[in-house]
Amino acid sequence: MRLQSVLLWIFCFSSVLAVKEYLFKNCDNSGFCHRNKHYANQIKSLGSAFVPHYAIDPSSVHLQESGQDFHIAGTIIKKVPNIPDLQVELPITVSLLEGNNVRVQIDESGRNQITVKNKYVNHRRYNETGQWAFASEELPYISKKDVKLDISSDKLSFTYGPAQEYTAELQFLPVKLTISYKDEPQVVVNDQNFLNLEHWRVRDANAEHLSDEQVDFDMFTDSFGDSKEDKLPLGPESIGLDFTFKNYKNLYGIPEHADSLNLKDTTGSNQPYRLFNVDIFEYETDSRLPMYGAIPLLLAVRPELSVGLFWINSADTFVDLDKNSDSGDSRTHWISENGVIDFMIIVDKTPAAINKNYGLITGYVQLPPLFSLGYHQCRWNYNDEKDVLEINSLMDKHRIPYDTIWLDIEYTDSKKYFTWQNDVFPDPEGMMKELDATGRNLVVIIDPHIKTGYPVSDQFRKQKICINDATNTSYLGHCWPGESVWIDTLNPNAQALWDSQFVWDKKNKFTGGLSTNLHIWNDMNEPSVFNGPETTSPRDNLHYGGWEHRSVHNIYGLSYHEATYNSLKKRQSHTTRERPFILTRSYYSGSQRTAAMWTGDNMSKWEYLQISLPMVLTSNIVGMPFAGADVGGFFGNPSKELLTRWYQAGIWYPFFRAHAHIDSRRREPWVAGEPYTSIMTDAVKLRYSLLPMLYTAFYESSVSGIPIMKPVFYEALDNLESYSIEDQFFVGNSGLLVKPVVEKEADDIEIYLPDSEVYYDFTNGNITGDITKFQLNKPGYVKRAVTLNDIPVFLKGGSIIAQKNRYRRSSKLMVNDPYTLIVAPDSNGNANGKLYIDDGESFGYTKGLSAKVSSIDVNYVGSLSSIEIEKIVIISQPQSQINKLIIHNPKLKVAADWSATFATDVEHDEL
Ligand code: NOJ
């Protein structure tokens, strides 16, 4: 009896701690993916016997005039073998944009004429994903005069790029697009003939519309678990297309997955990578299952060239990767539930250039307020005002710098957002003021589900700005507050009502009157619906414009956090604190413009600390660099060692926040006791001392898309071994190479030096005592002993790092502190670096309040130009006897233009 109950308990415990995979679709049981995969398998087995169904009508091809822009338009004809008279017309447009972006859009004609039972549903194929993903309505199309175009009866081609070295060639039968660099094909679209666009048909006639290669699995119904209610009013609408990357074996991107940096082959037992934003409860590592966000950008990288493929679609999407072909190519198959076919292909020299070019379209990370790069202290929940203020003062007692304390859902009255639980938060304004006194901020959570039966949801329902069910009335589902409605932030009318909740006037208790240190956390915005299929909104729910939820699912989270950002931006015109900070759980391409993200509900286990590195790296290389993972792990109670190691790794996440589940024990750094508390404190202090470097990395990313946590291969493209390194990284362009300790009881680490440059041991950010230098003749590993105290960091020769070394309670209080420069010469004795400075909170920098000086590039604003450099530490060159040289008080102001040359053969004394 006793044994039985123990076994039962173990069983329950393990089932609690595993993702409930059966709640989520996979390719086999998902109608549209199953059908496309079947189609692809049939085509593969037919080989050359397959007769393609799609061809471009040569007589349709023409240049589409629209100002100076470059667009080629035409029509693809889809033949339906069993209905010889039917020709499905699929208009195709090929355009060229700045940054080598070749865009292709394929739609379906005649959708306006069809009739469906549900009169509220928009019949068209959804084509507005780009409007949410792109930074601007005006896309940077290339002018016709910069392109050499050639159209013949069976193909067209155009060349582009500064030296016209890129060519796009569109073959008409079978439809095939090849993008080449110097005549060498890089990407071939529809190389395998998997192009498939399920055209409109009525259910009764469906059989005739199918070709021999197709199956009719779940075309008009959904047989999966909780999805059976889906009415699928428009029947099958899926799209599928293959892309072959010629001679590329290393693929990256398409987050969010708890998986390796270098993407896995999915042809064997692995399921395809799925992009479908879901509240993936207790996710597992090494998984292709979908997660909270989706960025459909894939990077293919090799030493000489890189390719970016941006699949502009917000519906449920599967991506199959075949990396095993003998040819050395990678073959990929993209399958989405509906929408138009819309994609961009970018070929350029380096992955950094792909980041830059992709950012020209979707925007770069917005320069965040400086405070948000500091340490964030969160848990579910800090219970009341006293709790918050106590944590605030304990941080000071332990001399731990921090910038922001967070409140999770319990601060509200019964999970009614925009309210406070009055008995425990009687004076939010006073609390915010007290935090503000030491430059600290408050972030509170606001989710998109709005409890029914209180003024906010009543007003939203009355104004018809909620997501609707298939009958076009406000959809009711369940989330934290119980029965709820969801604001439809795709509805332009929603913004004003959302703004009115955040009004910044003396009367608004929620915002604390005029408090300007309040910022917002948007959670559960996949959206998470506890009683919905796959824990999200039913797909036949309706949004503004009659669009079904299935079409817009992956952009809902983006639309929601963007609305919050816009509301916050409207405040505080009377202060300089203009830059809002928003954290979002769900995201899409373009989210980087207005929010930071984190990797959701991880666990207090070593493998989650380990997987956080490739996950944050992946986010960085797809243009969403302001990313982090819950430090300490969300579920469970980390050992003291794990927590300490997590802090030491977490200080390198661009977004650095400790967070914990409501059932976990308190674990602020002082709870563990010594030596852990001091070690964690030192880690946080290291983050703060490096804030000038980190802020500079953010600035650079905000104008070029360069990752902030940057994979090693970005600096070692010639070195193929570096392409799979995912447990160490560079920090922006600073030259810092970090290898956090993420193994239990480690007493040494092996760090990979990707080139033969000199690397200085900068462990714990200290240049003390004798400096160890490492330099290998060829790339390889070096071993270094570590203790629990150690955060292994190396500084690449040729770099200059700016630090601020005084302890302050928050980043705001560091503003006037002087800088220390660490100069690390390369093998030739040269070093250079960059430092970006502004006021850290206003939009002044966008109005030209900045300047640059050389050697160390400095951007400064007003009074900041008077800040001094108090110390310059120059590490000696590799061959030299001198260990380091310290120049105290060099009397330099950061805005002054200066450079210094030091001879290598002089004696220490002379210097
Ligand atoms: C889910 C989020 O992922 C988690 O961070 C948060 O604490 C809970 N929701 C409660 O709001």
Side-chain angles (χ1 to χ4, degrees):
M1 181 68 190
R2 217 183 122 83
L3 181 68
Q4 214 175 27
S5 72
V6 170
L7 284 178
L8 198 68
W9 186 83
I10 291 171
F11 174 76
C12 293
F13 188 71
S14 59
S15 68
V16 164
L17 283 187
V19 67
K20 299 194 173 49
E21 212 167 308
Y22 62 87
L23 287 178
F24 300 98
K25 290 182 178 176
N26 59 36
C27 185
D28 306 330
N29 58 29
S30 164
F32 72 92
C33 190
H34 180 115
R35 299 194 299 272
N36 276 277
K37 193 113 192 220
H38 175 91
Y39 184 62
N41 286 339
Q42 293 297 306
I43 292 169
K44 271 196 272 185
S45 55
L46 282 171
S48 55
F50 172 68
V51 183
H53 304 306
Y54 298 83
I56 292 178
D57 170 5
S59 67
S60 70
V61 177
H62 61 284
L63 263 185
Q64 206 173 52
E65 303 293 331
S66 134
Q68 284 301 299
D69 296 351
F70 178 70
H71 306 280
I72 302 161
T75 306
I76 298 176
I77 303 295
K78 175 181 181 184
K79 292 212 167 104
V80 179
N82 295 329
I83 319 177
D85 294 342
L86 180 67
Q87 297 217 326
V88 183
E89 289 183 12
L90 311 175
I92 174 171
T93 317
V94 182
S95 321
L96 182 64
L97 298 96
E98 265 174 41
N100 291 354
N101 284 292
V102 175
R103 183 180 188 189
V104 177
Q105 293 159 281
I106 304 174
D107 201 347
E108 179 185 357
S109 295
R111 301 274 307 196
N112 290 341
Q113 282 100 54
I114 65 184
T115 43
V116 289
K117 273 203 211 118
N118 187 334
K119 62 176 190 233
Y120 303 110
V121 175
N122 192 329
H123 307 160
R124 286 186 12 241
R125 286 182 170 269
Y126 186 64
N127 64 355
E128 294 176 12
T129 307
Q131 288 173 27
W132 291 96
F134 302 159
S136 152
E137 278 171 25
E138 297 287 307
L139 286 181
Y141 285 108
I142 293 280
S143 159
K144 286 195 295 268
K145 63 178 175 22
D146 296 328
V147 178
K148 239 172 60 208
L149 175 68
D150 194 5
I151 304 184
S152 69
S153 59
D154 58 354
K155 62 174 195 265
L156 67 84
S157 66
F158 56 90
T159 56
Y160 58 97
Q164 300 281 311
E165 66 271 52
Y166 298 96
T167 311
E169 184 182 281
L170 181 63
Q171 176 186 293
F172 297 164
L173 176 66
V175 180
K176 204 172 287 259
L177 173 70
T178 306
I179 311 252
S180 305
Y181 172 72
K182 294 192 173 158
D183 298 329
E184 225 185 87
Q186 304 300 318
V187 194
V188 183
V189 185
N190 202 30
D191 190 32
Q192 296 180 275
N193 279 314
F194 295 168
L195 170 61
N196 184 29
L197 185 145
E198 291 179 328
H199 60 276
W200 162 254
R201 80 282 310 261
V202 292
R203 188 172 185 168
D204 292 345
N206 186 37
E208 288 169 64
H209 285 258
L210 297 176
S211 66
D212 291 348
E213 302 84 19
Q214 290 176 315
V215 275
D216 66 352
F217 176 62
D218 271 0
M219 284 182 128
F220 293 86
T221 50
D222 192 336
S223 58
F224 180 76
D226 290 344
S227 306
K228 296 195 180 75
E229 313 259 290
D230 187 352
K231 307 268 184 325
L232 284 148
L234 298 169
E237 300 179 272
S238 81
I239 53 173
L241 190 55
D242 67 272
F243 299 80
T244 299
F245 296 85
K246 304 296 279 182
N247 202 12
Y248 290 86
K249 278 286 179 210
N250 296 291
L251 306 179
Y252 305 91
I254 53 170
E256 186 177 14
H257 304 98
D259 205 11
S260 51
L261 174 67
N262 203 333
L263 296 172
K264 300 214 167 87
D265 179 275
T266 60
T267 48
S269 53
N270 281 344
Q271 280 283 326
Y273 285 92
R274 184 172 175 207
L275 296 168
F276 185 67
N277 297 347
V278 283
D279 185 351
I280 182 100
F281 190 67
E282 282 158 357
Y283 64 81
E284 281 167 1
T285 59
D286 185 18
S287 165
R288 269 59 59 204
L289 285 182
M291 293 184 67
Y292 313 95
I295 297 188
L297 174 69
L298 183 89
L299 276 86
V301 183
R302 61 183 167 90
E304 311 78 26
L305 279 178
S306 291
V307 184
L309 165 60
F310 178 25
W311 178 258
I312 308 164
N313 188 293
S314 39
D316 190 3
T317 297
F318 288 84
V319 188
D320 229 348
L321 306 180
D322 175 358
K323 298 171 84 179
N324 287 331
S325 78
D326 296 338
S327 57
D329 303 341
S330 288
R331 297 180 177 145
T332 69
H333 185 195
W334 297 64
I335 304 166
S336 291
E337 184 176 11
N338 72 353
V340 295
I341 293 179
D342 191 354
F343 61 87
M344 284 189 197
I345 293 179
I346 318 162
V347 182
D348 212 318
K349 307 281 157 51
T350 61
I354 303 297
N355 294 145
K356 183 155 198 199
N357 297 343
Y358 168 77
L360 287 175
I361 307 299
T362 63
Y364 301 114
V365 63
Q366 189 173 109
L367 189 61
L370 178 61
F371 85 81
S372 62
L373 307 193
Y375 169 36
H376 296 263
Q377 183 61 51
C378 186
R379 74 169 277 114
W380 179 13
N381 221 90
Y382 289 116
N383 301 325
D384 49 36
E385 271 173 32
K386 193 167 150 279
D387 199 7
V388 168
L389 296 175
E390 207 163 82
I391 297 288
N392 191 48
S393 50
L394 280 168
M395 290 284 187
D396 296 341
K397 182 172 163 215
H398 293 278
R399 294 173 69 81
I400 304 172
Y402 96 106
D403 272 69
T404 311
I405 189 154
W406 291 54
L407 290 176
D408 209 319
I409 47 177
E410 312 297 330
Y411 79 91
T412 57
D413 169 15
S414 317
K415 319 288 182 311
K416 291 183 288 203
Y417 303 112
F418 308 105
T419 66
W420 291 86
Q421 203 186 329
N422 283 327
D423 48 344
V424 289
F425 288 97
D427 181 19
E429 186 175 358
M431 181 178 71
M432 289 186 235
K433 283 218 172 92
E434 186 160 342
L435 294 171
D436 200 29
T438 43
R440 280 152 185 177
N441 302 273
L442 180 71
V443 172
V444 300
I445 199 164
I446 298 281
D447 291 349
H449 49 257
I450 311 290
K451 186 176 172 68
T452 52
Y454 86 111
V456 176
S457 54
D458 292 347
Q459 192 190 16
F460 287 6
R461 291 171 84 171
K462 205 160 134 221
Q463 302 285 332
K464 301 200 178 318
I465 57 152
C466 298
I467 299 181
N468 285 335
D469 61 20
T471 69
N472 216 31
T473 40
S474 297
Y475 167 72
L476 300 175
H478 280 258
C479 207
W480 299 125
E483 189 186 70
S484 306
V485 293
W486 274 259
I487 181 168
D488 179 13
T489 36
L490 281 96
N491 185 337
N493 304 323
Q495 185 69 59
L497 282 163
W498 201 238
D499 292 349
S500 65
Q501 312 306 321
F502 293 91
V503 168
W504 239 255
D505 66 28
K506 287 209 162 69
K507 285 184 293 211
N508 188 336
K509 190 167 175 220
F510 168 67
T511 61
L514 295 176
S515 302
T516 47
N517 57 338
L518 177 66
H519 298 264
I520 300 295
W521 174 14
N522 285 158
D523 187 18
M524 313 295 276
N525 51 338
E526 295 74 27
S528 173
V529 179
F530 291 163
N531 60 336
E534 300 192 87
T535 66
T536 191
S537 161
R539 292 175 192 224
D540 53 4
N541 271 354
L542 296 173
H543 289 258
Y544 177 78
W547 295 116
E548 282 197 278
H549 183 77
R550 85 183 78 247
S551 312
V552 300
H553 176 80
N554 282 347
I555 48 166
Y556 175 73
L558 159 71
S559 76
Y560 177 66
H561 74 69
E562 239 178 48
T564 306
Y565 179 88
N566 293 338
S567 297
L568 257 60
K569 207 175 162 188
K570 289 177 187 145
R571 69 180 174 170
Q572 294 164 312
S573 49
H574 56 290
T575 78
T576 54
R577 299 189 206 173
E578 295 164 323
R579 290 184 229 167
F581 168 77
I582 312 283
L583 178 73
T584 182
R585 193 170 72 174
S586 184
Y587 57 91
Y588 189 76
S589 302
S591 282
Q592 69 272 13
R593 300 187 301 263
T594 50
M597 64 71 77
W598 92 109
T599 62
D601 299 348
N602 56 3
M603 295 192 194
S604 301
K605 293 182 178 177
W606 289 93
E607 63 262 36
Y608 287 82
L609 166 58
Q610 287 150 10
I611 201 77
S612 73
L613 300 178
M615 289 179 80
V616 175
L617 281 169
T618 295
S619 197
N620 269 263
I621 61 176
V622 295
M624 185 81 201
F626 201 4
D630 282 349
V631 170
F634 180 68
F635 291 114
N637 296 299
S639 68
K640 294 175 183 185
E641 184 195 358
L642 174 58
L643 184 64
T644 305
R645 288 302 192 198
W646 214 317
Y647 268 85
Q648 293 174 328
I651 61 165
W652 305 103
Y653 300 150
F655 172 62
F656 170 39
R657 183 185 73 153
H659 183 41
H661 186 267
I662 195 164
D663 294 335
S664 64
R665 291 194 286 274
R666 291 273 167 143
R667 53 163 104 131
E668 292 72 22
W670 51 85
V671 176
E674 292 303 342
Y676 307 98
T677 301
S678 298
I679 299 174
M680 286 185 260
T681 305
D682 286 349
V684 178
K685 282 184 175 154
L686 175 57
R687 166 90 171 195
Y688 274 77
S689 77
L690 291 171
L691 280 181
M693 176 279 301
L694 192 62
Y695 195 54
T696 303
F698 265 92
Y699 173 73
E700 293 196 300
S701 188
S702 77
V703 293
S704 72
I706 193 81
I708 293 164
M709 219 167 118
K710 192 171 77 175
V712 172
F713 69 82
Y714 268 63
E715 294 210 6
L717 287 170
D718 287 340
N719 168 6
L720 286 171
E721 205 182 359
S722 72
Y723 280 52
S724 293
I725 292 194
E726 57 178 24
D727 57 356
Q728 61 180 71
F729 46 85
F730 285 99
V731 184
N733 291 334
S734 69
L736 285 181
L737 177 63
V738 184
K739 168 126 191 179
V741 180
V742 294
E743 303 286 342
K744 195 175 171 193
E745 291 166 11
D747 40 30
D748 56 39
I749 51 119
E750 293 203 29
I751 191 155
Y752 183 77
L753 304 185
D755 48 40
S756 49
E757 187 50 82
V758 57
Y759 284 81
Y760 303 93
D761 194 336
F762 194 50
T763 293
N764 303 329
N766 287 332
I767 292 287
T768 50
D770 279 349
I771 298 158
T772 313
K773 294 160 201 169
F774 295 96
Q775 191 160 25
L776 302 174
N777 294 333
K778 59 182 180 42
Y781 285 89
V782 296
K783 209 181 210 159
R784 189 200 189 281
V786 288
T787 65
L788 187 63
N789 292 291
D790 291 332
I791 308 172
V793 185
F794 285 56
L795 184 51
K796 186 173 180 172
S799 326
I800 304 178
I801 299 284
Q803 295 181 313
K804 284 191 173 188
N805 286 327
R806 287 168 173 66
Y807 157 70
R808 302 283 179 194
R809 285 174 290 179
S810 65
S811 65
K812 194 168 173 87
L813 301 180
M814 292 165 68
V815 161
N816 294 313
D817 284 352
Y819 292 90
T820 291
L821 303 183
I822 312 286
V823 182
D826 63 16
S827 316
N828 301 317
N830 299 320
N832 59 60
K834 284 201 167 123
L835 175 62
Y836 173 82
I837 308 170
D838 64 18
D839 65 13
E841 55 185 21
S842 79
F843 285 107
Y845 72 98
T846 60
K847 297 171 196 135
L849 290 176
S850 62
K852 285 202 174 179
V853 293
S854 63
S855 188
I856 194 148
D857 280 345
V858 177
N859 269 20
Y860 72 99
V861 174
S863 62
L864 294 172
S865 59
S866 64
I867 299 172
E868 288 195 345
I869 294 166
E870 64 174 341
K871 194 156 80 170
I872 305 178
V873 180
I874 302 169
I875 308 173
S876 78
Q877 286 183 60
Q879 308 82 356
S880 161
Q881 302 293 311
I882 307 165
N883 189 27
K884 68 176 175 261
L885 167 71
I886 300 181
I887 305 175
H888 290 281
N889 199 8
K891 297 267 179 272
L892 289 169
K893 309 255 191 235
V894 289
D897 201 353
W898 64 274
S899 70
T901 310
F902 298 94
T904 55
D905 53 355
V906 288
E907 291 298 316
H908 197 183
D909 285 348
E910 289 177 53
L911 283 167

